[in-house]
Amino acid sequence: MLSQRIIETLVGIFLLAAILALITLAFKVSGLTTFFKQEGYNITASFDDIGQLKVRGSVKIGGVTVGEVTKIAIDPSTYKAVVTLRINSTVKDIPVDSSASILTAGLLGDNYIAITPMYSKDFLKDNDEIEETHSAMILEKLIGQFLFSIGHSNDKNSDTAEKGAKQ
Amino acid sequence: MINQVEALGRLGIDVIRKYGKAGILLYGAIFRVPNFRKGFALVVQQIFAEGVLSLLIIMVSALFIGMVVALQGYHTLSKFGASQQLGPLVALSVARELGPVVTALLFAGRAGSALAAEIGLMKATDQLSSMEMMAVDPLQRVIAPRFWGGFISMPLLTIIFNIVAIYGAYLVGVKWLGMDAGAFWSNMQSSVEFHADILNGIYKSVVFGVVVTWIALYQGYDAVPTSAGIANATTRTVVYSSLAVLGLDFVLTAMMIGEW
């Protein structure tokens, strides 16, 4: 049997190793950053359709991540989706007439919000709302419209063909 | 006829009595730790016996499990051109399922069987009764430190298992198969959540730790005091605790996916 002192030391090393492993899991594996609340301010934007946008999705200006989506809720009177964005405090000057649109990273990637800055000299403050928004492009709807229009043009063709045959 | 009914009734009562005894044992293990200074040293000894000594088998199996998951995952994912998603695949499967479950199974085989055999032998050689004669409560002196040792060791072992398995996958994916290290980690970070994936895995391992140690302690404490009885107790410990871990894993996963 080892002496109590050696046992205590080994158990201490065991505990420390586990704590280190937990810290690695938290920061390296799960990218945990919400423990340290980032400085920033909130703005909202309401969309007709947010597609697959999720909380913690990124907010980008010109492709650079400047914040994240913190809350998604439905406005019960207008039935629009109200999205709350937290913008990092390093990005202060977003003009009030900027527009927000929901885009998809690649063909199958996650949705994110792109803010396109405009030219106003007034800047968005905490709890302001972006007025101009563009909803998510939803692939199924586009395909549906496309198929519908093809079907429609085929109908026309067959109509004219029938008419031609009659004549 | 009457005899058969009687036997059936006795069997039922015996089963219920066993559950009752196991419950009393658990109650004793949890609540009878009055002498903190003396108890602390005993608990440290048990963490050493159950946790530190299990570390080697846990780490080696974690390394190989991580490596094999990465290898299998890479070959399947590359068929869909999605081999960049190897990081999330490995991290999620290890943190959610493989980590807690495999650690618990190995723990049952490595530490649980040793606990049952040790306590069973203590009972067979009348060490437990002689403790009682010396007015030392065996629940307090023998059972409680072993229970707390298992309770503390199990989540720590799981955390270490997770990290070793993920680095094993890193070795195979990045160093051997030539994936980009940045893509490996950043895809992992964007899809693994600390609460939903890692903490829930650790909660599972806490439950497994309690169940495995409890079964091992009860089987040892309740063993028939012969050599065959101890052998039976050890076997039953491993079988019952493996089944309990796998069954509970399903229940816990269902609870976690259904947000309690």
Side-chain angles (χ1 to χ4, degrees):
Chain A
M1 194 71 194
L2 295 168
S3 79
Q4 182 72 14
R5 232 176 112 171
I6 295 174
I7 287 177
E8 277 168 6
T9 319
L10 287 172
V11 170
I13 293 170
F14 174 52
L15 278 173
L16 275 181
I19 289 167
L20 269 180
L22 184 65
I23 292 171
T24 323
L25 276 178
F27 292 104
K28 184 115 188 178
V29 175
S30 66
L32 185 77
T33 44
T34 44
F35 265 179
F36 311 107
K37 209 175 177 185
Q38 278 202 323
E39 293 287 305
Y41 57 98
N42 292 319
I43 55 177
T44 59
S46 35
F47 296 90
D48 292 326
D49 194 333
I50 58 165
Q52 299 294 309
L53 188 73
K54 292 189 186 73
V55 172
R56 287 194 70 192
S58 50
V59 178
K60 296 182 179 185
I61 295 179
V64 180
T65 304
V66 296
E68 64 174 23
V69 175
T70 52
K71 193 179 147 197
I72 296 173
I74 184 100
D75 182 337
S77 55
T78 60
Y79 301 114
K80 282 191 163 193
V82 179
V83 179
T84 309
L85 318 173
R86 166 171 284 274
I87 310 290
N88 296 345
S89 54
T90 45
V91 185
K92 286 199 188 69
D93 303 336
I94 301 176
V96 285
D97 55 353
S98 303
S99 68
S101 35
I102 298 177
L103 303 179
T104 310
L107 196 57
L108 298 168
D110 281 343
N111 284 26
Y112 65 93
I113 292 192
I115 296 178
T116 315
M118 290 298 173
Y119 305 103
S120 172
K121 291 288 174 218
D122 295 330
F123 299 117
L124 287 167
K125 294 184 294 291
D126 200 21
N127 296 327
D128 277 1
E129 188 182 351
I130 294 182
E131 302 288 342
E132 196 180 328
T133 57
H134 305 288
S135 297
M137 295 270 249
I138 297 180
L139 209 55
E140 290 95 319
K141 280 189 184 169
L142 285 179
I143 293 172
Q145 282 172 1
F146 179 65
L147 289 180
F148 182 73
S149 67
I150 289 179
H152 217 65
S153 60
N154 277 348
D155 281 354
K156 272 181 193 165
N157 290 342
S158 58
D159 278 359
T160 51
E162 272 173 29
K163 274 175 194 168
K166 274 178 189 171
Q167 282 167 1
Chain B
M1 183 67 195
I2 292 286
N3 280 342
Q4 279 163 356
V5 172
E6 214 180 273
L8 189 70
R10 188 174 299 131
L11 189 72
I13 290 172
D14 277 352
V15 168
I16 293 172
R17 253 189 77 197
K18 278 189 180 167
Y19 280 111
K21 271 181 175 172
I24 291 169
L25 185 81
L26 183 70
Y27 174 82
I30 293 178
F31 292 106
R32 294 201 202 167
V33 198
N35 191 340
F36 182 77
R37 279 180 59 195
K38 210 163 192 175
F40 181 74
L42 289 173
V43 170
V44 169
Q45 273 172 14
Q46 288 310 316
I47 295 177
F48 177 77
E50 294 169 32
V52 179
L53 293 182
S54 308
L55 209 52
L56 188 67
I57 183 177
I58 296 279
M59 281 168 72
V60 172
S61 24
L63 189 69
F64 282 113
I65 284 173
M67 279 160 68
V68 90
V69 168
L71 200 56
Q72 291 276 13
Y74 186 85
H75 281 285
T76 311
L77 286 173
S78 61
K79 281 183 192 159
F80 305 102
S83 52
Q84 300 289 309
Q85 297 295 322
L86 183 67
L89 174 90
V90 173
L92 288 176
S93 47
V94 165
R96 283 186 182 171
E97 287 301 330
L98 287 176
V101 173
V102 176
T103 313
L105 295 179
L106 290 173
F107 187 80
R110 167 67 184 75
S113 57
L115 280 183
E118 189 185 5
I119 294 172
L121 196 68
M122 278 187 182
K123 190 182 176 189
T125 51
D126 287 331
Q127 291 182 44
L128 294 181
S129 339
S130 49
M131 270 184 195
E132 266 173 24
M133 288 183 74
M134 292 186 287
V136 176
D137 183 1
L139 277 183
Q140 194 188 99
R141 168 78 204 192
V142 175
I143 303 289
R146 281 167 177 73
F147 176 78
W148 286 109
F151 179 80
I152 295 169
S153 306
M154 184 63 203
L156 302 178
L157 288 172
T158 304
I159 294 169
I160 291 174
F161 183 99
N162 286 349
I163 207 74
V164 174
I166 286 169
Y167 272 92
Y170 172 82
L171 272 183
V172 167
V174 177
K175 298 286 173 195
W176 183 26
L177 297 171
M179 258 188 73
D180 181 39
F184 184 83
W185 292 117
S186 73
N187 282 338
M188 193 187 284
Q189 282 171 9
S190 61
S191 51
V192 178
E193 274 189 42
F194 187 69
H195 282 272
D197 302 323
I198 292 175
L199 275 189
N200 275 348
I202 295 171
Y203 295 152
K204 271 186 191 176
S205 75
V206 173
V207 176
F208 295 161
V210 171
V211 170
V212 171
T213 5
W214 182 19
I215 291 176
L217 292 175
Y218 174 69
Q219 293 296 346
Y221 199 68
D222 196 48
V224 182
T226 57
S227 45
I230 294 169
N232 267 339
T234 320
T235 315
R236 274 205 301 268
T237 302
V238 177
V239 173
Y240 289 172
S241 45
S242 306
L243 288 178
V245 163
L246 294 171
L248 270 176
D249 180 50
F250 176 74
V251 176
L252 288 174
T253 310
M255 279 162 80
M256 280 162 187
I257 285 177
E259 311 245 312
W260 310 100

